[in-house]
Amino acid sequence: QVKLVESGGDSVQAGGSLRLSCVAFGYDYSPYCMGWFRQAPGKERETVAVINSDGSTNYAVSVKGRFTISRDNAKNTLYLQMNSLKPEDTAMYYCAADLREIAYLTVATMEYGTWGQGTQVTVSS
C-alpha cells in the first residue's frame, strides 16, 4: 500500500546529466518532507537532497549547485535533476519520506521513514 518506486538511473559519462524520478503509490506524501539518499560500497550513506512540504530545499555540500530536488504533489512524484555528474556520484540512489510531518528538515535531520528499491547511477571518467 505504501510504496516508492525510483527510476531514471543509468550509466553516464562524467559531466553528463540524469533525472531521477520517484513515484509514490498508495499514499499521499504531500504533508511530508521527502528526499534522496545514496549508498555506495565502502561509503557512508549520504542524504543528498531534501524538499519540505512547503517546497523549501536543502542539499548536501557534495552536490550543492549541481543537483536540484523538486516535487509534483498532484502526481505524487519526486524528482532529482543531476547535472555535472562526477565519478564520485556513483551510487545506488533511493527516494525516501520522513513520516514525522515536521515542518522543516535538512539533510542532517531528515529520517528515512520509508524508501524505495533504489536506482543505480554510474558515472564513468
Side-chain angles (χ1 to χ4, degrees):
Q1 292 182 353
V2 181
K3 186 176 181 180
L4 300 173
V5 180
E6 301 96 335
S7 63
D10 205 350
S11 296
V12 298
Q13 294 284 333
S17 298
L18 286 173
R19 192 187 196 196
L20 307 184
S21 298
C22 172
V23 180
F25 294 94
Y27 200 80
D28 178 16
Y29 286 92
S30 59
Y32 306 117
C33 173
M34 298 191 71
W36 293 89
F37 68 88
R38 63 189 182 187
Q39 179 70 66
K43 297 182 179 179
E44 293 185 6
R45 183 178 299 169
E46 180 182 29
T47 303
V48 298
V50 164
I51 184 165
N52 293 284
S53 59
D54 67 351
S56 61
T57 59
N58 184 250
Y59 299 91
V61 172
S62 58
V63 307
K64 190 174 297 183
R66 299 187 297 118
F67 291 10
T68 302
I69 187 171
S70 61
R71 65 196 299 171
D72 185 335
N73 289 335
K75 296 181 178 180
N76 225 14
T77 302
L78 182 73
Y79 303 98
L80 184 67
Q81 178 66 47
M82 305 184 295
N83 297 326
S84 301
L85 284 163
K86 304 175 181 179
E88 50 262 45
D89 294 319
T90 296
M92 185 73 76
Y93 284 73
Y94 300 85
C95 68
D98 190 323
L99 303 180
R100 296 176 295 170
E101 203 168 337
I102 295 174
Y104 181 75
L105 294 168
T106 68
V107 293
T109 56
M110 181 183 173
E111 294 184 359
Y112 315 132
T114 186
W115 57 90
Q117 86 289 346
T119 185
Q120 179 67 39
V121 172
T122 302
V123 185
S124 60
S125 300

